[in-house]
Amino acid sequence: MRICIRGIGIAFLRQTKKFPPAGWSELDAPAEERHITVSEIEYIPNAFRSGFELDELEWTSWDEPGRANVEHHVLWAPDESKNEDSVGLLLRFPPGAHGDFHEHLGYELMLVLDGVLDHSDGMSYVKGDLVVEGPGTEHQMSSRTGCTVLAIRTRPASARTPQKAIRPVGVTAAP
């Protein structure tokens, strides 16, 4: 999977073959072989805007215990037949929405596309902020003001109960 993030949009290219092979440089190939075979492209123009303006996407309510009002658009999902655990999502948090408290079993990358994303550790992230959570990290994300986030997980997350005090849902850190 190649992810190309550009100033005006995000394109997700799903390849039909592994490219390039390990240890291979594109410059090693003749000019006519310097290409990627693509089986599917999803292009989202101007992704750095409110998810509530992204009307062309299909949004689904994320209904799980501990979540409230979060919606998602699946870019790709885990595929057991291919031993693929990763997931790519656009998340839309209306004001006051929150996810569940969970632990990451792999990495999670969150790019704030619009609004303010509030982290249970007390930090708030704004448009353009990139957050990478490593395996074993725990958090609950929310948004007092509303936000849109690109979220990529390399492995699933597991619901947990906080063992220490966390920031209450819907409270934003001072700027």
Side-chain angles (χ1 to χ4, degrees):
M1 177 70 62
R2 173 182 286 174
I3 301 171
C4 175
I5 300 177
R6 298 183 267 178
I8 58 169
I10 300 176
F12 295 88
L13 308 180
R14 292 172 176 90
Q15 300 175 14
T16 58
K17 64 180 181 179
K18 187 171 174 78
F19 181 87
W24 183 84
S25 166
E26 183 177 294
L27 299 177
D28 295 336
E32 64 274 8
E33 293 179 17
R34 293 182 193 164
H35 68 281
I36 298 175
T37 304
V38 177
S39 60
E40 184 179 334
I41 297 175
E42 179 174 358
Y43 176 69
I44 302 168
N46 188 18
F48 286 97
R49 59 188 162 129
S50 170
F52 300 97
E53 295 173 6
L54 294 171
D55 296 332
E56 68 274 19
L57 301 179
E58 182 179 322
W59 294 94
T60 305
S61 179
W62 194 341
D63 297 320
E64 287 183 354
R67 293 188 185 278
N69 303 321
V70 178
E71 296 176 309
H72 67 283
H73 171 75
V74 176
L75 300 167
W76 75 87
D79 185 341
E80 288 184 26
S81 69
K82 296 179 181 174
N83 199 28
E84 177 59 60
D85 285 340
S86 71
V87 62
L89 303 167
L90 288 177
L91 302 175
R92 188 162 72 172
F93 289 72
H98 62 84
D100 64 337
F101 188 85
H102 57 269
E103 175 184 0
H104 290 279
L105 305 179
Y107 288 92
E108 180 179 54
L109 174 148
M110 294 168 287
L111 176 61
V112 181
L113 302 174
D114 187 70
V116 179
L117 179 67
D118 303 314
H119 194 290
S120 57
D121 70 1
M123 295 291 295
S124 290
Y125 303 100
V126 298
K127 181 177 182 173
D129 286 350
L130 176 65
V131 182
V132 179
E133 300 265 356
T137 57
E138 297 179 336
H139 69 205
Q140 179 179 36
M141 305 307 278
S142 64
S143 182
R144 184 176 57 84
T145 61
C147 69
T148 307
V149 176
L150 168 65
I152 299 172
R153 289 182 178 168
T154 60
R155 295 192 58 216
S158 183
R160 297 284 187 254
T161 300
Q163 300 302 308
K164 61 181 181 176
I166 61 172
R167 177 203 309 204
V169 169
V171 177
T172 302

